[in-house]
Structure formats: structure tokens, C-alpha cells
């Protein structure tokens, strides 16, 4: 059978979906013209297919008229499949001239988890290449891996012929899609693309000036920006620049980093205003044979000028990557519309997703206590330093620093601790086709939602911003989340010899004046969301005075000739234990330390380290709660399911979720009034609510 065509008579026929071949879409392949830097595609066959602003290199493969179902009111429109995404355009849809993606109806091909066909009251049939259809479906169900669901019905005509072609095109486009290769890049004017003129631009941390500005903002006077990795010759997974102690030389840094896994040595993540420093590092490469000078350099980096050091074993108490992936798969299966209702809560418990959220929050709380209870160097150590280190470092900053809880603060943390730090987004989100998929970043967003839910007045952003960030990890228009390393992003950006310009309203039509070409990033919300939608990113309950850091600033002096640290502790499984030396190799100066350090007993109860006298010896006495520190609850019902995210495919579970903003309430009121007008118009056209009056 020719690809894209169906044969035979009425219901009960069988249709064979061909295996992975290029579909014959010659009649539907659109002509393209440049419109404000985007390709606008329209089928030459008929005017029923709406004009669609396309990404560079994007082509429409197939389309079919249909009706979006499952939500009220039902919307007539067109289902369109391209080589990058599947989108639904409602009838009369008016897109922004400078907007490529719709935040509600676009599904990147990599985001489609399952495609189903439904006929009448029968069970849905999963569609795969080579599937034999035994009925004429009435609806297509597109299940997003981000828990969204798009139901499109096609009336009495079923899927013949255009709708059948678009279903087959989706299958084959998914099989052939590779986001890493499809993206060709877009650039745009720096102005008017973020959250608004009142918000400063998010530092991309790609230049020396960005890192220096952030260092000054943190008040980290004992640190400097190192350029040792400027050409990515120390580590391709590290950023070009990072912070190291001021008195260390780049030559020492280069030698020291060579003794850590993947060349990811200790470097500063965040300087606490009280004087402590939070560092992150890969695991020691114990097979190396460093000389005394190299060991000395390693210990100076870990000590960071402090007399007290805590090495945190990141992976202890936390789920493995395989555990996170399995829990997420179980959660997605549980939240499908056809999931069994019986014993749903026990099924949720069986996913262990909330257990993983709980363990992450608990460990982040303990580390926050270690950072704030006294001036010290706290080093997060993970073998690869690219997954759970980023999660814990981000949560610690959000728990300890009120400034991190603003919209700008959160975006900066994600850019620094995840994007610039080399979190393998493409691999962890399943875009590379490998077996190392694990949505660590989505686990972090769930932890953050728990904090917003527990402390509604402490965060400037709402859960709608977290949803937007959650749904942006698989959009096909930016390299922010589509690359594994900073080196890959730099290589991609350097290959742009010519740019497809995206001009915002009011900007000049040629790259002159203040137009600075730069790659599109996920932080350019103005290209994907309307001003009205962006307003919902802000939390109406936020109290700005909470953002004022009242912590007394302290600066830990770096001695001219640092001596051995006074205290070296190892934090693992809720317990602080003393170490006799800082590094696993011999001949380090810390091996001269005695082992007569105090040892905390592990608390087997549900209390966190914060409940154990702030993790301090009893003779130090209790410490008051530091200003700005949040200690979340993580016991039993305190950890909740993120319903607005995970149950989006089940509208019946969305009932009762109150509108979080005044604009949201006005929207709901307008919708109710419109439905009432439509109902009364059929009853009595002279009613006071009738449009004629």
C-alpha cells in the first residue's frame, strides 16, 4: 500500500501503517517564504490548512481538520505534523507575528510518549510503525512525555483520508527525528524577548564578564574567575570559566583537576553572605598518582581558605539514576486517562516518586544547615558531578538565599548549576537514544514546587512558571536543553555563519543599531508566551520584603600561607564523621591530622540534621535560625502530588484547583459568562445577558 493512503470500504477494515519509511507527502509539501526570519508554510492544495510560522528547516508533512476534545469548550481546528513537532491550530487562531511556538498546543516529536487511536467505546490502540489497524478510528490521542494530552476527533468520516495520513506522518517523523541534528538555530534581538523590561536579562555565563559580575554579586572576594578551561582543554563538560580561590594559580588548577573524574575538580557554586562557601566537585580519580605539589593544590582548592571542611557524599540517601527513571515511568503510566481507579493512592506510593522528592528535600535541608550554621567549606562530591550535585546545589541556594527565590534568581541558578555546569540534558531526557535516561531536572522542579506550595509568600514565581520550565525541556527551537555540554553549545553557536533573524515589534528590520545577534535561549519567554501568560508567572502572594538579605556579611580571610584545616568531616546518611586526611592519596598535609574529632550519632528518627542542634557539638550550644533560611517539611502528607502538572491529561482531577491569579479568575468568569450567553441565546434572546442587549 502506498504510504499515506488508506484503502477499502467502511468500518472493520484493516489498515497497515508502514514501517519507518519516508512518507509520500508530495501533494502536501508546502511552499515556503521568509516571514520575519521564520518560514511561513501553507499547503498549496487547499486553504483549509492555516499558515504556520515555522522554525528554520521545518517542513509541514501532513495535516487534517479536526476538533480538540477532552476539555471544555471543544475547539475546531487543524492537526498539523512537521518534521520537528505536532501542533493543533484552533479555527481563527491568531498567532503573534514574532512567535514560533504555541505554549498550549505544540508537541515536539521527542515529547510524544504515546500515540493512540480510538474508535467508539472500544479500547485505545497504540500506534507504532508496522501496526495493523483493525478499525476506523474516530480520535487520535497524543500523550506528551510532559503529562499533557491532546485529543483530536475527526467526526463521522474517521481517519480517511487526510487524518490517516497525518497519523502516519507523526509515527514516521518520530522514528526519523533527531533533535540534536534537526536544530539549525535562530537568533534574535536581545530586547523584548524575556519576561519584560523590568526584569534584567538572564546571564548566560558564556563570557568572562558574566562570571565576574556574578562573583561580585555574591560578594565572593576570596575567589576569582579562572580561564584555564577557556578552550575546553581541561574538560568539555565544564564551562569555559569558573570560580577558584584567589590565591591559586591556573597552572595549579589544571594539575589538580586532572586528578578528578572527567576533569571536574572543586570549584565554587555559591558564596553564603555569612562567610561559608558551597563547592561542587567530581569524585577523586584514585588511580592517578599525584605528586606532593598536586596533592597540595587539590587540598587548597577543597579548603578554599577555611579552617573547617565538610565533604558531602551526594549520592548517599538519594535515588540512583535508574531509580529516578523507573519512578518517572511508573508515574506517567499511573497518570494516563485509562489508568485503573482502584487503589490509585497505593499505586502512587508504589511509584516511589514522592519518596525520591522527600529524600532530595531532606538532604538539601541538611546541607543548608551545614552551610549556615558556621563558616566553613562545604564540598558536594558526586562521581560525575553533573546530576545530583546540580540538584542539591540549586535547592541549597533556594533554601538559604532569599534573592534566589525571585524569577531572575531561579533562572540564573538553572543557567549556572545545570546548563553551564554541563548537566547532560539531551541524554537524561531521552533525546540521544541511549540507555542513560533519567529526568533529574524534572525531579528538581518537583522539589521546587513542594517549596512553593509550603512557603507561598517566599517565592516570586508561581507554579505556572515551573510548568512553563517543565514543558520547555523538549522544545525544538533552542539549544539550552538540547545539548549535553557547554562545549557542544559553543560548537553549535560557532557554526552559525548566517542568522535567521527574528525581529520583535518595534525593532528595526535589519541588524543595525542595538540589534545584537545571539542564539535563541529558553529564557526568551516573549517568543513563546503572551504578555497575559507571562503575568501568571508571578506569584501574587509573594512578599518582596522577604528578599532583603539581613544576614551580616562576613568574609572568610584567606591566609597567606594556609595551614592544615582544623576540622575535616564527612557527611553521609545523616551522619557527620571525622576524616584523618582530605584526599585518598598519601603524603597530603591533612594526613598529619589526628582522629580525635567529635562524631555525631546518626539519628534514626524522622528528625533532620537541623533538629540535631544544627549539627553542632553540644558544648557549642544551640544556634538561632539564620535569617532567610527555609526548612521544609518532608514527612508523610507534607509531600504532595503536583496535580496541575502530572494530571493534566485527566481533566476530572483538575477540578477544584483554584485560579492562582486575579487574571485567571477573570478568565474563568468570562468563560462562564460566554457559556451562559450561548445557553440563554437558544432559550430567550431578550434576556439581559443576551449579546443583542
Amino acid at each position: 500500500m502506498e504510504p499515506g493512503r488508506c484503502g477499502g470500504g467502511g468500518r472493520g477494515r484493516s489498515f497497515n501503517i508502514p514501517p519507518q519509511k519516508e512518507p509520500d507527502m508530495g501533494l502536501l509539501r508546502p511552499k515556503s517564504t521568509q516571514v520575519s526570519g521564520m518560514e511561513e508554510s501553507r499547503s498549496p492544495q487547499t486553504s483549509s490548512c492555516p499558515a504556520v510560522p515555522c522554525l528554520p528547516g521545518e517542513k509541514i508533512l501532513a495535516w487534517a481538520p479536526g476538533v480538540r476534545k477532552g476539555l471544555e469548550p471543544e475547539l475546531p481546528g487543524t492537526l498539523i505534523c512537521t518534521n520537528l513537532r505536532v501542533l493543533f491550530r484552533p479555527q481563527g487562531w491568531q498567532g503573534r507575528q514574532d512567535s514560533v511556538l504555541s505554549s498550549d498546543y505544540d508537541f515536539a516529536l521527542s515529547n510524544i510518549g504515546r500515540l493512540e487511536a480510538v474508535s467508539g467505546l472500544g479500547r485505545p490502540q497504540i500506534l507504532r510503525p508496522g501496526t495493523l489497524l483493525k478499525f476506523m478510528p474516530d480520535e487520535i490521542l497524543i500523550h506528551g512525555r510532559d503529562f499533557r494530552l491532546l485529543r483530536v476527533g475527526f467526526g463521522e468520516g474517521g481517519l480517511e483520508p487526510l487524518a490517516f495520513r497525518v497519523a502516519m506522518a507523526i509515527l514516521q517523523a518520530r522514528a526519523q527525528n533527531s533533535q540534536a541534528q534537526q536544530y539549525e538555530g535562530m537568533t534574535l534581538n536581545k530586547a523584548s524577548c524575556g519576561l519584560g523590561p523590568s526584569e534584567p536579562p538572564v546571564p548566560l555565563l558564556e563570557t568572562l564578564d558574566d562570571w565576574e559580575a556574578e562573583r561580585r554579586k555574591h560578594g565572593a572576594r576570596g575567589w576569582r574567575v579562572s580561564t584555564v578551561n577557556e578552550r575546553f582543554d581541561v574538560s568539555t563538560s565544564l564551562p569555559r570559566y569558573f570560580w577558584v580561590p584567589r590565591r591559586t594559580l591556573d597552572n595549579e588548577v589544571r594539575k589538580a583537576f586532572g586528578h578528578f573524574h572527567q576533569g571536574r575538580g572543586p570549584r565554587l557554586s555559591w558564596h553564603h553572605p555569612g562567610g561559608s562557601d558551597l563547592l561542587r566537585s567530581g569524585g577523586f580519580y584514585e588511580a592517578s598518582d599525584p605528586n606532593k605539589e598536586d596533592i597540595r593544590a587539590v587540598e587548597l582548592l577543597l579548603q578554599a581558605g577555611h579552617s573547617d571542611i565538610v565533604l558531602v557524599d551526594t549520592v548517599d540517601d538519594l535515588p540512583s539514576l535508574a531509580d529516578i527513571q523507573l519512578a518517572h515511568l511508573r508515574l506517567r503510566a499511573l497518570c494516563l486517562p485509562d489508568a485503573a481507579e482502584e487503589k490509585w493512592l497505593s499505586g502512587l506510593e508504589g511509584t516511589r516518586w514522592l519518596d525520591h522528592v522527600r529524600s532530595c528535600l531532606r538532604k538539601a535541608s541538611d546541607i543548608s544547615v551545614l552551610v549556615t550554621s558556621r563558616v566553613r567549606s562545604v564540598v558536594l562530591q558526586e562521581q560525575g558531578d553533573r546530576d545530583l550535585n546540580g540538584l542539591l546545589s540549586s535547592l541549597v541556594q533556594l533554601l538559604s538565599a532569599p534573592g534566589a527565590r525571585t524569577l531572575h534568581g531561579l533562572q540564573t541558578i538553572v543557567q549556572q548549576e545545570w546548563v553551564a555546569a554541563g548537566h547532560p540534558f539531551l541524554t537524561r531526557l531521552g533525546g540521544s537514544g541511549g540507555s542513560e535516561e533519567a529526568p533529574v531536572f524534572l525531579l528538581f522542579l518537583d522539589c521546587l514546587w513542594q517549596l512553593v506550595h509550603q512557603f507561598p509568600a517566599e517565592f516570586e514565581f508561581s507554579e505556572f512558571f515551573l510548568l512553563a520550565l517543565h514543558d520547555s525541556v523538549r522544545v525544538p527551537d533552542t539549544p539550552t536543553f538540547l545539548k549535553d555540554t557547554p562545549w557542544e553549545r559553543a560548537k553549535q553557536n560557532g557554526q552559525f555563519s548566517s542568522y535567521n533573524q527574528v525581529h520583535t515589534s518595534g525593532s528595526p528590520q535589519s541588524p543595525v543599531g542595538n540589534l545584537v545577534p545571539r542564539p535563541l535561549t529558553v529564557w526568551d519567554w516573549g517568543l513563546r508566551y503572551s504578555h497575559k501568560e507571562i503575568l501568571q508567572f508571578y506569584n501574587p502572594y509573594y512578599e518582596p520584603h522577604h528578599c532583603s538579605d539581613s544576614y551580616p556579611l562576613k568574609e572568610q580571610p584567606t591566609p597567606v600561607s594556609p595551614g592544615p584545616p582544623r576540622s575535616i568531616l564527612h557527611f553521609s546518611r545523616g551522619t557527620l564523621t571525622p576524616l584523618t586526611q582530605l584526599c585518598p592519596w598519601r603524603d597530603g598535609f591533612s594526613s598529619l591530622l589526628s582522629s580525635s574529632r567529635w562524631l555525631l550519632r546518626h539519628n534514626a528518627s524522622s528528625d533532620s540534621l537541623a533538629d540535631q542542634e544544627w549539627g553542632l557539638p553540644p558544648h557549642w550550644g544551640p544556634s538561632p535560625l539564620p535569617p532567610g533560611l527555609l526548612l521544609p517539611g518532608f514527612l508523610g502528607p507534607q509531600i504532595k502530588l503536583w496535580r496541575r502538572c502530572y494530571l493534566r491529561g485527566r481533566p476530572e482531577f483538575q477540578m477544584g484547583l483554584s485560579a492562582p491569579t486575579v487574571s485567571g479568575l477573570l478568565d474563568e468568569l468570562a468563560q462562564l459568562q460566554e457559556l451562559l450567553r450561548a445557553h440563554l441565546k437558544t432559550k430567550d434572546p431578550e434576556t439581559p445577558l443576551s449579546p443583542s442587549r
Side-chain angles (χ1 to χ4, degrees):
M1 185 178 67
E2 181 184 359
R5 299 190 182 276
C6 55
R11 294 184 182 274
R13 297 170 295 167
S14 297
F15 301 92
N16 183 46
I17 297 179
Q20 301 177 12
K21 296 180 181 179
E22 177 69 20
D24 180 11
M25 297 297 174
L27 292 177
L28 294 177
R29 193 175 302 280
K31 296 179 181 179
S32 299
T33 55
Q34 289 292 326
V35 179
S36 297
M38 297 172 289
E39 296 178 358
E40 185 177 278
S41 298
R42 184 190 299 271
S43 169
Q45 183 181 13
T46 174
S47 60
S48 297
C49 181
V52 178
C54 289
L55 298 165
E58 186 175 22
K59 298 177 182 178
I60 291 180
L61 302 179
W63 58 268
V67 177
R68 188 208 68 181
K69 295 188 174 183
L71 298 173
E72 295 294 340
E74 294 185 348
L75 292 178
T78 305
L79 183 67
I80 305 169
C81 174
T82 79
N83 59 326
L84 291 179
R85 53 184 169 145
V86 176
L87 54 151
F88 181 80
R89 285 294 176 262
Q91 225 173 56
W93 178 81
Q94 296 291 332
R96 298 180 53 200
Q97 293 301 313
D98 58 354
S99 179
V100 181
L101 297 182
S102 164
S103 57
D104 295 325
Y105 305 114
D106 282 16
F107 286 75
L109 292 176
S110 61
N111 187 34
I112 298 177
R114 191 164 76 172
L115 187 68
E116 294 179 326
V118 182
S119 177
L121 301 177
R123 291 179 60 84
Q125 180 177 352
I126 300 177
L127 302 182
R128 300 185 181 93
T131 299
L132 185 65
L133 280 176
K134 299 181 179 180
F135 56 85
M136 176 67 76
D138 300 320
E139 294 182 6
I140 289 179
L141 276 69
I142 301 174
H143 297 270
R145 298 173 72 188
D146 57 3
F147 296 88
R148 285 187 297 160
L149 172 65
L150 178 61
R151 287 181 54 193
V152 181
F154 300 98
E156 298 180 357
L159 291 178
E160 183 180 13
L162 293 180
F164 184 86
R165 291 164 67 87
V166 74
M168 193 164 54
I170 294 173
L171 290 171
Q172 296 179 352
R174 284 180 63 204
Q176 297 167 2
N177 174 259
S178 171
Q179 3 174 310
Q181 297 175 1
Q182 294 277 4
Y183 175 72
E184 295 182 7
M186 299 175 63
T187 61
L188 44 96
N189 187 344
K190 277 191 175 180
S192 304
C193 293
L195 293 173
S198 61
E199 293 286 348
V202 178
L204 300 183
L205 298 174
E206 295 175 346
T207 66
L208 183 66
D209 290 342
D210 282 348
W211 285 92
E212 181 61 26
E214 287 299 300
R215 185 194 67 80
R216 289 186 181 132
K217 186 175 75 173
H218 289 309
R221 294 189 292 273
W223 298 80
R224 67 176 180 87
V225 181
S226 173
T227 61
V228 70
N229 197 43
E230 197 163 28
R231 298 182 180 272
F232 296 105
D233 51 351
V234 172
S235 175
T236 57
S237 64
L238 283 177
R240 280 178 167 153
Y241 312 100
F242 44 79
W243 298 309
V244 297
R246 181 174 294 278
R247 295 189 180 278
T248 57
L249 303 176
D250 275 352
N251 184 49
E252 296 174 319
V253 173
R254 181 184 297 274
K255 291 181 179 179
F257 275 42
H259 301 292
F260 288 85
H261 186 68
Q262 296 184 6
R264 298 178 66 90
R267 61 210 182 277
L268 178 68
S269 277
W270 176 57
H271 175 76
H272 187 267
S276 291
D277 290 310
L278 180 67
L279 287 71
R280 59 184 291 181
S281 167
F284 293 116
Y285 184 47
E286 298 186 20
S288 64
D289 186 21
N291 56 36
K292 290 185 178 181
E293 288 75 17
D294 292 351
I295 295 178
R296 174 77 168 176
V298 168
E299 293 182 320
L300 289 178
L301 290 174
L302 292 171
Q303 189 176 359
H306 294 275
S307 58
D308 296 299
I309 307 171
V310 178
L311 297 181
V312 178
D313 193 331
T314 298
V315 297
D316 282 351
D317 294 329
L318 296 188
S320 66
L321 296 180
D323 292 336
I324 295 172
Q325 172 65 2
L326 180 60
H328 195 256
L329 289 176
R330 288 174 174 172
L331 181 65
R332 279 169 47 193
L334 184 70
C335 295
L336 289 173
D338 56 355
E341 299 290 340
E342 299 82 8
K343 299 182 180 179
W344 195 89
L345 290 178
S346 62
L348 176 62
E349 183 180 359
T351 66
R352 300 216 59 198
W353 180 259
L354 297 184
D355 291 334
H356 298 337
V357 172
R358 180 178 293 107
S359 61
C360 291
L361 285 176
R362 174 167 182 163
K363 187 141 192 173
S365 298
D366 287 345
I367 298 172
S368 299
V369 170
L370 293 174
V371 171
T372 57
S373 60
R374 64 175 301 175
V375 177
R376 50 161 56 113
S377 171
V378 179
V379 185
L380 305 179
Q381 270 203 304
E382 179 189 18
Q383 185 71 3
D385 181 38
R386 301 175 66 186
D387 292 295
L388 297 175
N389 265 5
L391 182 147
L392 289 178
S393 177
S394 302
L395 288 178
V396 168
Q397 294 179 56
L398 288 159
L399 289 172
S400 308
R405 302 169 201 152
T406 64
L407 267 164
H408 182 265
L410 174 60
Q411 293 176 103
T412 303
I413 286 177
V414 172
Q415 186 68 30
Q416 176 184 318
E417 299 297 333
W418 296 86
V419 181
H423 176 69
F425 281 103
L426 188 64
T427 298
R428 295 293 180 257
L429 296 172
S432 63
S435 59
E436 299 180 347
E437 181 176 355
V440 182
F441 183 69
L442 303 186
L443 178 63
F444 161 70
L445 292 182
D446 197 321
C447 293
L448 186 49
W449 178 83
Q450 305 288 339
L451 297 180
V452 172
H453 181 75
Q454 292 190 25
F455 304 97
E458 300 287 346
F459 294 87
E460 185 185 28
F461 47 87
S462 68
E463 74 167 319
F464 279 96
F465 179 74
L466 298 181
L467 274 174
L469 199 52
H470 181 280
D471 296 345
S472 296
V473 296
R474 292 186 177 95
V475 294
D477 61 339
T478 81
T480 306
F481 297 140
L482 298 184
K483 301 294 179 183
D484 278 345
T485 65
W487 174 78
E488 292 176 358
R489 294 186 190 90
K491 182 180 178 182
Q492 178 77 53
N493 296 342
Q495 290 176 345
F496 294 153
S497 56
S498 61
Y499 293 103
N500 297 300
Q501 300 294 343
V502 177
H503 297 280
T504 57
S505 57
S507 67
Q509 296 301 309
S510 58
V512 296
N514 63 347
L515 182 64
V516 182
R518 67 170 177 85
L520 181 69
T521 73
V522 73
W523 314 122
D524 296 304
W525 301 108
L527 291 182
R528 193 175 300 114
Y529 292 86
S530 67
H531 176 69
K532 186 177 182 180
E533 291 171 321
I534 288 177
L535 288 179
Q536 294 192 12
F537 290 176
Y538 291 87
N539 174 19
Y541 306 111
Y542 175 63
E543 299 180 8
H545 69 269
H546 282 232
C547 189
S548 59
D549 290 325
S550 57
Y551 210 102
L553 290 175
K554 300 177 183 178
E555 184 65 33
Q556 178 72 6
T558 302
V560 177
S561 300
R566 181 179 58 197
S567 169
I568 304 175
L569 300 172
H570 181 253
F571 182 70
S572 175
R573 301 188 182 279
T575 303
L576 283 167
T577 57
L579 296 176
T580 58
Q581 64 181 50
L582 193 54
C583 299
W585 313 290
R586 297 181 178 180
D587 300 327
F589 65 71
S590 58
S591 63
L592 303 176
L593 291 174
S594 66
S595 60
S596 59
R597 302 298 176 193
W598 56 269
L599 171 65
L600 277 183
R601 292 180 299 170
H602 177 63
N603 189 357
S605 71
S606 59
D607 294 336
S608 69
L609 185 65
D611 301 315
Q612 304 177 41
E613 298 289 353
W614 286 89
L616 303 178
H619 65 269
W620 284 357
S623 300
L625 186 70
L629 179 64
L630 303 180
L631 293 180
F634 41 77
L635 303 178
Q638 292 176 306
I639 302 299
K640 301 181 181 298
L641 180 70
W642 190 2
R643 291 171 55 194
R644 199 184 291 275
C645 179
Y646 301 140
L647 297 178
R648 283 183 285 179
R650 307 184 69 170
E652 67 275 14
F653 284 95
Q654 297 293 316
M655 301 300 293
L657 294 181
S658 59
T661 63
V662 174
S663 61
L665 290 170
L666 292 176
D667 287 343
E668 288 190 3
L669 179 61
Q671 292 176 7
L672 290 173
Q673 288 177 336
E674 186 64 30
L675 290 173
L676 184 59
R677 288 192 187 99
H679 174 72
L680 293 177
K681 185 175 182 181
T682 61
K683 297 284 186 180
D684 181 9
E686 298 301 323
T687 180
L689 285 178
S690 172
S692 61
R693 297 178 68 93

